[in-house]
Amino acid sequence: MLADSAWTSYLSARETALTSCADPAVAATSIGRAETRLQAYLGMGPEQASAHARRSFLYAADAAFHDQLLASGSADLLRAIVEQTSLDDLPLARERPRGVLAVTLHYGPATSILPLWLAMASRTGMIPQVAVIQNSRRNPKVMLSAQRHAMLADCGFPFDDLDIARLGEVAVLRRGLALLRDGGIVLIFADGQLPRPGAKRIFTCRLGAGSLVLPQGAEWLARSADVPLLPLLLRPDRDGHRLASLNACAPEHAQRGLQALIDAAMDFDPAPWSRWCCSADHF
């Protein structure tokens, strides 16, 4: 009964947040960016691009709402969200002699739900120890205080919060490598930053008729720790979400795995990818 009450409360709060999600001027700017990009990259006509751009803005607002829940939502509410996230076959749950680098995109509320899902699975013994690499300098909503992080662990969501803004890039990479070598799971967002074309240590992936430049951080971590790279995609599924995994790949095939992840997201539905609305002027 408590779980049902928490889920009902979550849906109500989510609806309220989405009906008043932004200043009209901010919304118009974000939607305009997304509309232009959807036409340029995916070849959508004006009407289709406009409809998908508005949906993309709502998905971005929904992701921000979930990030706020990660920072301040009650444990019962967070637990209800995770329990309502359905699951395809996930290789992380199998016995492995080595760690796994899980890689995903800013697709839907992945920045909040994926860390919580993996943490709960770790607490129950379903998967090994988990760490999440993010950068609160680029997304302040994912910043967790020491008190909040400890509270999440006490409530059944234990994970190492490897925040680049707080710890520094070198320290994050060292801790991530150590955990991977000990057989743990590290989650990284491949599109955590969108480097400019011509930057060093980048991959260039296809995005429709154009290209998307991504940093090589995921490939470097997997290669340095000698672990496989596993693409994950958190897809919308009615009022909840569904966690799907793609084929794992060796570090030397990281670019192929990232391309498969992008293709899977665009084939399912391009709108939940929040980068359509982002302010990066070079994308």
Side-chain angles (χ1 to χ4, degrees), residues 84-200:
Q84 290 288 337
T85 300
S86 54
L87 175 68
D88 289 344
D89 180 50
L90 192 63
L92 293 177
R94 300 172 187 157
E95 291 296 328
R96 287 181 173 274
R98 296 182 294 165
V100 176
L101 183 69
V103 61
T104 191
L105 300 171
H106 284 79
Y107 189 85
T111 50
S112 54
I113 293 181
L114 260 181
L116 292 171
W117 191 96
L118 292 170
M120 181 177 280
S122 174
R123 178 64 176 265
T124 60
M126 181 180 177
I127 62 174
Q129 182 182 0
V130 172
V132 180
I133 296 178
Q134 297 203 70
N135 190 344
S136 63
R137 185 177 295 113
R138 299 181 182 279
N139 182 9
K141 295 183 179 67
V142 301
M143 180 182 292
L144 297 176
S145 67
Q147 293 81 1
R148 178 63 176 177
H149 186 246
M151 188 278 280
L152 288 173
D154 290 342
C155 293
F157 301 104
F159 65 93
D160 286 356
D161 179 27
L162 304 186
D163 183 357
I164 293 173
R166 187 180 75 254
L167 301 174
E169 186 174 358
V170 173
V172 163
L173 292 176
R174 285 176 177 169
R175 290 173 65 170
L177 278 174
L179 192 144
L180 288 169
R181 288 167 175 163
D182 285 342
I185 295 167
V186 174
L187 173 66
I188 189 171
F189 291 81
D191 58 347
Q193 62 179 351
L194 298 178
R196 293 181 180 275
K200 296 180 179 179

Side-chain angles (χ1 to χ4, degrees), residues 30-75:
S30 296
I31 292 169
R33 287 194 202 104
E35 189 172 349
T36 299
R37 290 163 176 165
L38 287 161
Q39 291 184 69
Y41 284 90
L42 301 188
M44 292 183 179
E47 290 187 6
Q48 185 184 21
S50 177
H52 277 277
R54 292 177 183 278
R55 292 178 61 239
S56 186
F57 175 75
L58 286 175
Y59 274 118
D62 189 50
F65 165 73
H66 284 83
D67 286 340
Q68 290 179 337
L69 292 183
L70 177 66
S72 60
S74 71

